Amino acid sequence: MRSTRIIGGMFLAMAMFQACEKNETTQPQSTLVQKTIANIPADTIVGLVNGQPVGAGKYTFYSLESNSLVASSDSNSLKWDIGMRGTAIITNGGNSGPGAGGAFVYVGTFDELKTIPADSVFRKDNAPVSYAIPLGSNKGWYVYNPITTLITPVPGRVLVIKTASGKYAKVEILNYYKGGVTPDATASDADKLTKQRYYTFRYSYQGNGSTSFQ
Amino acid sequence: MRLLNTFLGLFLSTLVAAQQQADTLGSRTMDEVVVTATRTPRLMGNLAIPVNIISSKTLYQSGSLRLHDILAEQTGINIIENFGKGVQVQGLSSEYTLILIDGEPLIGRTGGVLDLSRISVRNIRKIEIVKGPSSSLYGSEAMGGVINIITDRAGQNKSDVSLRYARFNTLDGGFNFSRKMDKTDWLASFNYNRSSGYSLKPNAQQQTVEPFWRSVQQVSIGHQFNEKWKAGASLRRNLSQIDNTIVVQNQGASILSKGYERNEEYNFTPYLNYQASPQLKTVLRAYLTGFDARQELSVKNVVGNYDDRFRQSFHRLENQTDWQIRKQSAFTIGAGNILETVASNRYDSLSTKRSNNISYLFLQHEETISPKLMLVAGFRYDANKAYASVGSPKLALQYRYNDNLSFNLSYGRGFKAPDFRQLYLNFTNLAAGAYSVFGSEVAVGELSRLQSQGLIEQVSALASRLSALKPEISGGWNGGLKYKSGKNLLVTLNLFRNDLRNMILTDIIAIKKNGGQIYSYFNLKEALTQGLEFNADKQFKQLSIRVGYQFLHTADKEVTDAIRSGKIFARSLETGLANRMKLSEYGGLPNRSRHTANIKLGYETPKEQFLTLRAIYRSRWGTFDADGNGLINRDDEYASGYVQVNVSAGFPIGKRLKWMMGIDNLFNYKDIINLPGNPGRNGYMDLQFTF
């Protein structure tokens, strides 16, 4: 058994080696960047209008490529890859931005997604009718629990992002509350409101243009 | 049930009287007469299905006032707080457990839950609990079990007055007046219960439990015309009112609004008995019951008061004939018709009365095949107007290995009819997301109406599956043993499994142009509950020890399959990262505790001085989803388990007066979030005068 595995492994290694050789010219070296970003405010609540909590209404833009926040004055540029406002996440493409961006929601774990499946279809934002990452509870990345009034990222949802410049990244939203800690179900409404709209997420960005995350 | 008298005849009544004097526990329990299991009086020791009995003495010595107080102390029964205090039997929730009062079903459920605190257990002779499906005798709702509350008998020439004072300004008082005059039995009873309620959260604008009062009045009469004919009637009225203070959020401001919630319930049961011969008897009985719930709130400076009204009625006419064919064979046949109506402004308007008509037939045959082997076979057919008809079989076997040891095995099917909400609800929430919920009977019409108005964005594939709802069905197995040693030890063990299918869930049938979702009801879910129940009762001279334990495992079958095929994810509490969920992480259905146990010690002198100490344990139970997969799987998704200890003591003063006092929840266990109905330590004093 053990020997078969070794032999099998050798075959695989050879096959991969050959594949690598073949693609050497077209497939550059992997330049994978993996980061965890904590506590990014995304249009945090500033007050109540007609009893409904509201923020300033502005997206928080983020560049996965340069791993940094992007000023909202640069919204019409290729500098950002994703934008967050409340639970809505937009990509730099479609009618959201001038870039080549798009996205889809992959069902599986972050680590399992090693290569974007070849038959994947990247969706484009068509605000306000539809978004690449669908809005709403249990449709995209999060679920809203009407009993606890808490928002929780659905486990097993990975946002596969095409960046403004056409590169690929995978994003897992880990938490939606300040400090990366979801308030207790029993916390006060005020607590739940003031602490929400803070993103903690991890992502892998492949800078070589390939669909591989290895 | 006063008709029992006739059923039993003179012979059995003397037998019962003799048993009540027997003081040992084993014999007392095994020789107790049970009516709920077969709808005929049978000795507990001869039953092939699991039955528990709570005697009036246990009720009194436990200091119980309301039905949930005493049921919470029973093995295998949990009280779940959701729309009041509902019962959970064999892991099945309140909507699947039938509650009877003198053999007749109580109505008036909210969200499927029958609030047990509605029912006073003062003036109760005993409570019989039958576990497992009994729809073969009782029809709808008898899936997890049947709980039959048997009120005091008329014609006892015994009366009493009682008064109790407890914490939170709780006052409970009443009388029970029972007389036999010549050939007529009388009974009049009254109970009044009030409390100022309590607040678990200090400085909250509304109390956890608001002040309330409740009252039960009952009159029963029975007349024995001659040896063959007896007629009677019973009228019971149950009233309750609770203050309602709610903080309403309006335009960002919180407004305190005041109101009340009032429930009124009546039950009327006339009957006519005919004993054709010692072997053949028949009874014609009617049951008329109504439930009227009203909630009113007046909100300051807001136009339009909140007014919620729910009126339900249930009228039934039934005939049951019992025929003792031979010494070893007994046959029961019954048939009846039920007319149920509901009018509520939750559905449409109060003037629209929804109704359902059910005709049913049931048969039961009991056969003693050999001195060791006994068989009971039953079948019931319910033909309905508003939903699919259903047949419910049951088969039970008892094998007596010897005088001490017997084995039981039974299989039954239970069902629950779709309720009026699932059939007729027509609700649109304009505030929260503009979603709508339509009952299955109105969904097609409402959907096409909205479509013709051009308000529908998208119709889901499920909409084409909209059809008449089928009853929810369970198949239940129960198997176990009873062991009796001498007169002082009784051990029972029961293994159970309930497979539920056609369980009704809501799902999206369409999405409106404004984004609002439209839901309706479908027979979608399959679930299972299984486990083990163990009880041991041991009597030493003046000391009794009772131990009970239940192990429970529950699961949504679709979820189990999805976990097995790797489609379910969970987020680790430690790392915060998502991974594929393992079956061992799945906590089953919410509100289920894997382990429940109780120990009850009783000490009683021949002079009727008594002392009880009862400890009830419940292990953690799933409450809500915290990691976004909608399931119970993580440690932070459980309410913590606990032990509650209750004590009581009492003694007679002279011949007519009985005094008792007790403390419930001695160690003051509280869980503000998960057990709002538990106020903490609660002491009481109680006086009863018999004349």
Side-chain angles (χ1 to χ4, degrees):
Chain A
M1 191 60 202
R2 199 184 147 86
S3 59
T4 7
R5 223 185 260 166
I6 293 170
I7 294 167
M10 278 165 66
F11 268 113
L12 205 66
M14 277 162 70
M16 278 166 71
F17 186 62
Q18 281 176 337
C20 285
E21 268 189 330
K22 237 184 243 168
N23 293 340
E24 214 174 301
T25 44
T26 54
Q27 198 78 294
Q29 202 96 53
S30 171
T31 55
L32 197 69
V33 177
Q34 193 152 333
K35 296 272 179 200
T36 299
I37 311 300
N39 226 10
I40 292 189
D43 196 31
T44 53
I45 288 162
V46 292
L48 297 172
V49 172
N50 294 332
Q52 295 298 311
V54 289
K58 296 232 158 138
Y59 280 94
T60 298
F61 295 105
Y62 200 85
S63 167
L64 300 171
E65 189 171 343
S66 64
N67 186 25
S68 61
L69 287 165
V70 175
S72 59
S73 54
D74 286 333
S75 64
N76 200 17
S77 76
L78 297 181
K79 289 181 181 170
W80 62 275
D81 299 316
I82 53 172
M84 292 152 286
R85 188 179 73 187
T87 53
I89 300 177
I90 54 169
T91 48
N92 195 339
N95 63 4
S96 290
F104 71 94
V105 180
Y106 169 82
V107 177
T109 68
F110 188 80
D111 293 336
E112 283 168 1
L113 180 62
K114 295 191 162 72
T115 304
I116 299 169
D119 57 355
S120 299
V121 178
F122 282 84
R123 292 154 49 99
K124 297 259 183 206
D125 287 354
N126 181 25
V129 180
S130 69
Y131 291 84
I133 299 163
L135 303 182
S137 174
N138 237 337
K139 291 177 185 159
W141 66 270
Y142 76 93
V143 60
Y144 171 74
N145 183 331
I147 295 162
T148 62
T149 67
L150 290 169
I151 283 166
T152 313
V154 177
R157 300 286 181 274
V158 182
L159 310 180
V160 184
I161 309 282
K162 197 173 183 185
T163 65
S165 58
K167 308 273 175 47
Y168 296 100
K170 58 176 179 178
V171 176
E172 182 185 13
I173 311 293
L174 300 174
N175 196 283
Y176 185 64
Y177 292 89
K178 199 172 187 173
V181 181
T182 305
D184 280 345
T186 57
S188 67
D189 289 347
D191 216 27
K192 287 173 181 171
L193 285 177
T194 51
K195 286 182 178 163
Q196 66 169 250
R197 305 193 181 185
Y198 287 86
Y199 277 83
T200 295
F201 60 93
R202 64 167 168 167
Y203 74 90
S204 286
Y205 170 74
Q206 177 57 276
N208 69 3
S210 81
T211 56
S212 166
F213 295 113
Q214 284 179 320
Chain B
M1 204 140 92
R2 266 140 314 282
L3 24 141
L4 244 183
N5 289 338
T6 339
F7 274 109
L8 288 163
L10 207 67
F11 168 70
L12 265 175
S13 333
T14 42
L15 192 75
V16 174
Q19 279 140 22
Q20 280 167 347
Q21 281 154 22
D23 58 343
T24 50
L25 184 137
S27 66
R28 194 176 66 216
T29 315
M30 296 304 273
D31 297 342
E32 194 109 33
V33 172
V34 175
V35 290
T36 315
T38 56
R39 283 181 85 145
T40 47
R42 292 289 178 263
L43 294 182
M44 172 105 165
N46 291 346
L47 290 173
I49 52 174
V51 174
N52 304 86
I53 297 175
I54 306 167
S55 67
S56 62
K57 185 167 153 182
T58 305
L59 276 167
Y60 175 73
Q61 293 191 347
S62 307
S64 298
L65 282 183
R66 316 301 297 185
L67 187 55
H68 62 83
D69 294 332
I70 191 71
L71 290 183
E73 299 189 357
Q74 307 307 310
T75 312
I77 294 188
N78 282 313
I79 304 301
I80 308 299
E81 294 185 29
N82 187 8
F83 298 116
K85 299 193 178 206
V87 70
Q88 184 188 91
V89 180
Q90 289 196 343
L92 272 72
S93 53
S94 181
E95 57 200 301
Y96 307 119
T97 302
L98 184 63
I99 312 275
L100 306 174
I101 191 146
D102 291 328
E104 304 290 352
L106 286 177
I107 59 164
R109 290 169 181 258
T110 306
V113 176
L114 198 126
D115 184 8
L116 300 177
S117 62
R118 231 171 75 190
I119 304 151
S120 167
V121 291
R122 284 291 174 105
N123 310 326
I124 296 298
R125 185 152 56 90
K126 65 172 173 173
I127 299 170
E128 297 181 354
I129 302 162
V130 177
K131 305 258 173 87
S134 290
S135 288
S136 63
L137 287 172
Y138 295 101
S140 181
E141 293 168 9
M143 289 167 84
V146 177
I147 297 171
N148 191 3
I149 302 130
I150 299 168
T151 58
D152 271 332
R153 227 194 292 253
Q156 292 300 292
N157 284 329
K158 211 187 97 189
S159 303
D160 59 64
V161 180
S162 61
L163 186 68
R164 167 181 313 205
Y165 184 77
R167 201 182 159 198
F168 311 117
N169 240 332
T170 303
L171 197 70
D172 186 276
F175 66 82
N176 186 31
F177 185 79
S178 181
R179 279 285 176 276
K180 190 170 186 69
M181 293 174 193
D182 194 22
K183 287 180 173 175
T184 307
D185 297 334
W186 293 89
L187 176 123
S189 70
F190 171 80
N191 174 266
Y192 177 81
N193 176 271
R194 70 162 302 281
S195 170
S196 301
Y198 55 88
S199 195
L200 289 171
K201 286 182 188 165
N203 309 320
Q205 277 180 293
Q206 55 198 106
Q207 290 196 151
T208 311
V209 170
E210 296 282 331
F212 63 83
W213 63 262
R214 306 151 169 153
S215 146
V216 190
Q217 303 121 49
Q218 183 167 347
V219 192
S220 302
I221 177 170
H223 184 77
Q224 188 86 44
F225 293 96
N226 53 42
E227 278 175 9
K228 289 184 189 291
W229 291 93
K230 185 178 180 180
S234 176
L235 177 67
R236 184 177 159 274
R237 185 162 172 264
N238 195 348
L239 262 175
S240 70
Q241 180 164 320
I242 183 159
D243 290 355
N244 211 346
T245 309
I246 294 181
V247 183
V248 182
Q249 298 292 336
N250 195 302
Q251 308 278 327
S254 44
I255 302 162
L256 197 68
S257 60
K258 293 258 181 199
Y260 68 89
E261 195 182 320
R262 188 180 164 95
N263 293 328
E264 190 173 353
E265 179 194 356
Y266 71 86
N267 320 77
F268 180 56
T269 26
Y271 65 90
L272 179 67
N273 280 359
Y274 177 62
Q275 182 92 32
S277 75
Q279 289 77 36
L280 188 66
K281 58 206 163 193
T282 186
V283 54
L284 182 69
R285 58 190 159 217
Y287 177 52
L288 297 107
T289 181
F291 181 80
D292 186 347
R294 177 165 212 160
Q295 253 190 80
E296 272 191 11
L297 269 181
S298 50
V299 186
K300 253 187 202 167
N301 306 325
V302 172
V303 187
N305 287 351
Y306 177 75
D307 181 6
D308 175 79
R309 195 83 185 265
F310 178 82
R311 270 200 306 234
Q312 187 181 4
S313 77
F314 180 101
H315 296 171
R316 177 163 90 175
L317 187 68
E318 182 182 82
N319 173 253
Q320 180 183 334
T321 304
D322 302 324
W323 180 27
Q324 189 77 40
I325 307 168
R326 292 182 297 270
K327 189 167 173 275
Q328 63 272 31
S329 319
F331 183 71
T332 300
I333 181 168
N337 184 274
I338 300 167
L339 177 67
E340 253 186 300
T341 68
V342 160
S344 173
N345 50 12
R346 285 176 213 168
Y347 303 152
D348 24 44
S349 81
L350 268 175
S351 53
T352 316
K353 217 180 222 181
R354 301 290 187 178
S355 67
N356 184 23
N357 198 306
I358 305 160
S359 297
Y360 61 92
L361 173 76
F362 65 90
L363 307 161
Q364 178 180 257
H365 187 85
E366 296 166 83
E367 185 75 30
T368 309
I369 297 164
S370 77
K372 287 188 180 242
L373 193 63
M374 198 190 72
L375 179 144
V376 186
F379 184 78
R380 172 165 161 147
Y381 188 76
D382 288 74
N384 308 288
K385 199 186 71 176
Y387 53 89
S389 298
V390 59
S392 317
K394 180 147 184 174
L395 191 65
L397 282 168
Q398 186 188 48
Y399 176 74
R400 291 189 184 198
Y401 179 71
N402 57 31
D403 283 350
N404 293 339
L405 184 62
S406 64
F407 296 92
N408 305 314
L409 183 66
S410 64
Y411 174 79
R413 255 177 65 174
F415 78 93
K416 182 191 167 287
D419 59 30
F420 282 94
R421 169 185 52 128
Q422 292 159 340
L423 296 172
Y424 300 116
L425 186 64
N426 183 348
F427 174 79
T428 296
N429 189 329
L430 296 169
Y435 71 89
S436 300
V437 189
F438 297 137
S440 67
E441 294 293 294
V442 297
V444 172
E446 286 298 312
L447 190 58
S448 57
R449 183 179 64 82
L450 292 172
Q451 265 175 320
S452 67
Q453 292 172 357
L455 297 171
I456 298 294
E457 171 76 33
Q458 192 191 339
V459 177
S460 89
L462 257 183
S464 61
R465 283 174 54 189
L466 275 172
S467 59
L469 279 177
K470 291 186 284 256
E472 299 175 272
I473 299 282
S474 77
W477 285 95
N478 282 274
L481 58 87
K482 286 182 211 163
Y483 175 75
K484 182 177 78 161
S485 171
K487 288 185 167 179
N488 297 327
L489 178 69
L490 176 67
V491 176
T492 59
L493 177 73
N494 184 48
L495 294 162
F496 59 88
R497 179 176 167 119
N498 297 293
D499 285 281
L500 291 91
R501 59 192 166 84
N502 290 351
M503 290 174 82
I504 295 171
L505 286 184
T506 51
D507 211 326
I508 296 169
I509 54 168
I511 295 168
K512 286 185 256 187
K513 285 237 162 82
N514 63 7
Q517 292 157 335
I518 303 177
Y519 295 86
S520 188
Y521 296 89
F522 295 92
N523 292 102
L524 282 176
K525 193 170 144 180
E526 296 196 353
L528 78 88
T529 76
Q530 58 187 357
L532 168 159
E533 182 181 333
F534 169 82
N535 283 289
D537 296 3
K538 174 88 179 150
Q539 181 90 36
F540 306 92
K541 285 182 183 167
Q542 300 182 354
L543 180 71
S544 68
I545 301 176
R546 297 178 171 208
V547 180
Y549 170 74
Q550 177 181 265
F551 172 82
L552 179 67
H553 170 254
T554 62
D556 179 327
K557 289 185 187 174
E558 201 184 337
V559 171
T560 311
D561 289 346
I563 296 172
R564 282 211 182 96
S565 52
K567 286 181 192 153
I568 306 279
F569 301 87
R571 191 173 300 282
S572 158
L573 203 50
E574 290 76 32
T575 64
L577 305 178
N579 43 51
R580 283 185 201 267
M581 192 166 132
K582 293 193 260 315
L583 200 53
S584 59
E585 293 173 76
Y586 179 42
L589 307 174
N591 283 323
R592 270 73 176 181
S593 294
R594 181 159 289 198
H595 308 281
T596 45
N598 59 73
I599 300 175
K600 294 174 216 162
L601 303 177
Y603 180 79
E604 188 177 348
T605 69
K607 290 180 179 169
E608 285 184 48
Q609 298 153 321
F610 72 89
L611 204 68
T612 75
L613 190 147
R614 293 112 55 208
I616 295 101
Y617 167 71
R618 183 178 173 197
S619 72
R620 70 176 190 172
W621 66 96
T623 52
F624 71 98
D625 168 50
D627 67 348
N629 60 11
L631 301 172
I632 305 297
N633 57 289
R634 237 164 53 167
D635 286 348
D636 62 340
E637 298 174 348
Y638 291 87
S640 17
Y642 68 97
V643 177
Q644 179 171 329
V645 176
N646 304 329
V647 291
S648 65
F651 54 83
I653 306 168
K655 273 198 162 173
R656 300 198 176 279
L657 206 57
K658 286 200 283 185
W659 182 83
M660 79 165 284
M661 65 176 290
I663 300 170
D664 285 342
N665 198 357
L666 186 65
F667 299 110
N668 202 24
Y669 183 82
K670 282 191 228 177
D671 183 339
I672 297 173
I673 301 306
N674 300 301
L675 299 169
N678 174 359
R681 189 183 294 125
N682 189 359
Y684 57 88
M685 274 190 288
D686 191 292
L687 266 177
Q688 191 173 326
F689 182 73
T690 312
F691 57 94

